[in-house]
Every structure is written in C-alpha cells, then in structure tokens.
Amino acid sequence: MNHDQARALVRQAVQRIVPDADFSGLAPGEGLRDAFELDSLDFLEFVEALAELSGQELTEDDYPDLVTWDGCADRLVAGEAAVTEGRSR
C-alpha cells in the first residue's frame, strides 16, 4: 500500500461517519476530529472503519497517529510494511 492508497482509505472511513465530508480544503496535517466535528464516539467508529477497510488491527496505542490525514496514512503504510516484512521472514 502506498501513501495515496492509504489516504483514500482514510477518506472512505471518514465518509462512513460523515457522508458529505469534503477533503478538498483539508491540509494533510489538519486534525480530522476538528475538521469533521467528530466527537469521541465518532472517532471510535472512524478507527473501526479504518481497521476494517485496511485489514489492520488498530488499537488505542495507535490513536495519536490517527489524528491527521497524513498521520493515518503514515500509520497504515507502516502497518502494511510490517505485515509484509513479517511474511518475508
């Protein structure tokens, strides 16, 4: 998975919670919770959707990485790389 693919998954996960979410003006480092007015339950639903879409396990330890669009994408790419590396051993 590359960074653009990961960002697309983040967009899909957000749109499950906020169907009309507009990413056109969203800066890569802007907080998703503020940008889309996600409360704590919305954020948990977003994390669950992102885990489902990506096929990766996301835990509370990952929450700090999931604050921004790029942070989410970086975490997904790194998680995919770790899984792939584990398979090649």
Side-chain angles (χ1 to χ4, degrees):
M1 169 183 325
N2 65 37
H3 202 261
D4 288 336
Q5 292 168 323
R7 286 177 64 153
L9 289 179
V10 174
R11 181 189 306 256
Q12 290 175 7
V14 168
Q15 288 177 329
R16 284 189 179 184
I17 312 308
V18 184
D20 60 344
D22 181 11
F23 280 74
S24 63
L26 184 68
E30 188 175 347
L32 296 174
R33 288 182 72 169
D34 289 337
F36 300 114
E37 299 179 2
L38 303 177
D39 64 23
S40 55
L41 290 178
D42 291 336
F43 181 75
L44 291 176
E45 288 182 45
F46 160 70
V47 172
E48 289 175 6
L50 191 58
E52 179 185 323
L53 290 166
S54 68
Q56 295 184 29
E57 182 179 347
L58 299 172
T59 67
E60 279 187 54
D61 293 338
D62 297 308
Y63 290 1
D65 297 331
L66 304 177
V67 173
T68 65
W69 197 6
D70 271 359
C72 290
D74 291 344
R75 167 56 185 83
L76 293 178
V77 170
E80 179 81 5
V83 168
T84 301
E85 183 180 306
R87 287 185 196 148
S88 65
R89 289 184 181 176

